[in-house]
Amino acid sequence: MKIGTPKEIADGEARVAMTPASATELQKLGHDCLIEAGAGRAAGFEDAAYEAAGVTVLKSAAKVWSEADVIAKVRPPTETEAKRLKEGKTLVSFFYPGSNEAQMKTVSKTGATVVAMDMVPRISRAQKMDALSSMANIAGYRAVIEAGTNFGRFFTGQVTAAGKVPPAKVLVVGAGVAGLAAIGTATSLGAIVYAFDVRPEVSEQIESMGAEFVFLDFEDSQDSSASGGYAAPSSPEFQEKQLAKFREMAPDIDIVITTALIPNRDAPVLWTKDMVEAMKPGSVIIDLAAERGGNCELTVKDEKIVSDNGVTIVGYTDLPSRMAAQSSTLYATNIRHLMTDLTPEKDGVIDHDMEDDVIRGATVTHGGEVTYPPPKPKVAAIAAAPKKEKPKELTAEEKRAQETLAFQQQTKFQVGLLAVGGVLLLLAGLYTPASFMQHFIVFTLACFVGFQVIWGVAHSLHTPLMAVTNAISSIIILGALLQIGSGSVLVMLLAGLAVFMAGINIFGGFLVTRRMLAMFQKS
């Protein structure tokens, strides 16, 4: 089939749904690729690059819409574009069916199939197609860059001959994909980062990235996680505590990045006018929920304003488009993975399997019918493990009895091993030459001593695999040391080589492990 990508016509949209790299992969699936001339130019992909990748460049959008069987876009179709769809064609793009019901019904009457990239189920198997997460990741990163542009100061603290510069204090509200990307970027720039989320279970993720989780002194029995990986709406009592905490922090925060947004719902107001007024002049607020009204009470969609007290409030909704090359690459990869699932035989023939959880979940119109909302995926999330009962506290006498029993069992096991070993050595001595027994006893002692020396080393110093190899190497070294005193020159030479080579293995293993551990240490 032919997959075509027209140029995006929305104001300020620089992304493109097909890149030369993704087109190459699509052709491996048996598809032919078409693109409108200049469609990728704003993202840094010239027509010549597409032609080199085997893509047919057409002069107009009308030709792409008429010749392609599958239309890959970024933005939802306009009314004019929707009229170009007909039975047998498939549209793959963001569509937002929950707030685009009228157009969804219009498109369904044409008989065309619409696959909404924003409806890809958030299950493990579909992560490679999760365009919402791809774009949110970029938006979170770009939010910090926009904040730095408008902040006018260093993120990291510095002590110079001209004076001391304190580090910027950043508060990230919402620790979803965008929030975590913002946290990672801000901490890497040296800022002191605080983060808040209604889901306390994400605190470990936040702290692992070097930020401090903002806890509320509030007992809430409600489930804070909703389906699809989003946070559930909070109770009024919780919201009051949350706003009170933000009011307390506002005078001390330099940059606020808000990311709290659930698809098809108005954004909750989390940063009120009085909080803005409490902030220092020169502070910055980046509102990633501006498209749905904003988390900041003063946010103006698609604009940057400055409050009366000098706080800059940015309400841009096109942050991924401001990094068009990166956004296009990720989005085109998401589409390519979707097409891989739609073309299981790699023969260029689309098999729209409505029994597949991912395909069914993302399909909003098919066969002349509206298929939104989809049923819940058959693949259910792994249920939380039941809480284990706290073990009963043992008395001192009971603990001593348990320790004595364990020692007795271990002693019996060791005595049994020694007895078996003694019998085997006795039998070997009866039926083997004396020279063999001499070497066999050396080997046995080397194994025992090597085990005792090396096996007790904590695995934090090396991996379990290296522990085993080091144990084997120590056995070789001990055995070789016992043979170095032999009268034979050949034996002495071989023993020396054994010590040298085994030593390289042991010390080299520890050196490599040290470098591996250094990768996880902050400089």
Side-chain angles (χ1 to χ4, degrees), residues 107-122:
V107 172
S108 68
K109 293 176 182 178
T110 66
T113 297
V114 174
V115 180
M117 293 301 292
D118 51 287
M119 288 299 298
V120 171
R122 286 194 158 179

Side-chain angles (χ1 to χ4, degrees), residues 70-153:
V70 179
I71 302 294
K73 275 179 49 62
V74 179
R75 296 273 189 164
T78 63
E79 290 186 13
T80 302
E81 290 175 326
K83 291 177 181 177
R84 289 173 169 169
L85 289 170
K86 59 183 180 181
E87 187 174 358
K89 287 188 179 292
T90 299
L91 172 66
V92 180
S93 73
F94 284 114
F95 199 84
Y96 309 110
S99 56
N100 201 8
E101 188 174 350
Q103 190 178 67
M104 183 168 53
K105 291 180 178 178
T106 300
V107 172
S108 68
K109 293 176 182 178
T110 66
T113 297
V114 174
V115 180
M117 293 301 292
D118 51 287
M119 288 299 298
V120 171
R122 286 194 158 179
I123 59 178
S124 297
R125 184 167 64 86
Q127 287 181 352
K128 60 187 178 182
M129 313 169 209
D130 190 355
L132 282 178
S133 294
S134 297
M135 298 301 102
N137 180 35
I138 293 174
Y141 173 87
R142 182 69 187 196
V144 177
I145 303 303
E146 292 288 339
T149 302
N150 290 278
F151 185 49
R153 277 179 30 209

